């Protein structure tokens, strides 16, 4: 299957591109780790597939609308 066909079929099934789906999956993983662990953002970035904490912060803010620190403060189980 060509890349173009894969992208078209993927979008038809999911409503998004493979790249955007993967990005959102990585942000969801980061959210889970922020809620359930005390790991530093650098470790969460690595564990969720982002290359650096800077990249995590950038994409997290775009997808979640807030910073990882603010998200952790609001949603971490106490």
């Amino acid at each position: 299957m060509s890349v173009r066909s894969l992208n078209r079929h993927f979008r038809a099934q999911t409503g998004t591109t493979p790249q955007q789906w993967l990005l959102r999956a990585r942000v969801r993983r980061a959210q889970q780790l922020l809620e359930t662990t005390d790991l530093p953002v650098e470790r969460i970035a690595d564990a969720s597939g982002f290359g650096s904490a800077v990249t995590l912060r950038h994409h997290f803010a775009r997808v979640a609308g807030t910073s990882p620190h603010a998200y952790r403060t609001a949603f971490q189980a106490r």
Side-chain angles (χ1 to χ4, degrees):
M1 177 179 289
S2 72
V3 173
R4 184 174 175 201
S5 290
L6 172 64
N7 287 337
R8 189 175 65 250
H9 288 288
F10 194 93
R11 183 181 288 271
Q13 291 295 313
T14 65
T16 190
T17 65
Q19 182 179 8
Q20 287 300 314
W21 183 90
L22 180 59
L23 177 65
R24 285 188 174 90
R26 288 176 174 170
V27 169
R28 282 192 306 272
R29 176 65 177 145
Q31 287 174 317
Q32 179 186 37
L33 291 170
L34 288 165
E35 291 173 15
T36 61
T37 71
D38 289 325
L39 292 172
V41 172
E42 292 78 13
R43 296 263 321 270
I44 290 174
D46 185 53
S48 56
F50 291 102
S52 69
V54 172
T55 304
L56 167 63
R57 286 182 183 103
H58 171 77
H59 291 295
F60 196 93
R62 287 184 61 212
V63 172
T66 189
S67 71
H69 177 75
Y71 185 88
R72 175 176 268 165
T73 301
F75 294 104
Q76 188 174 40
R78 293 182 174 30

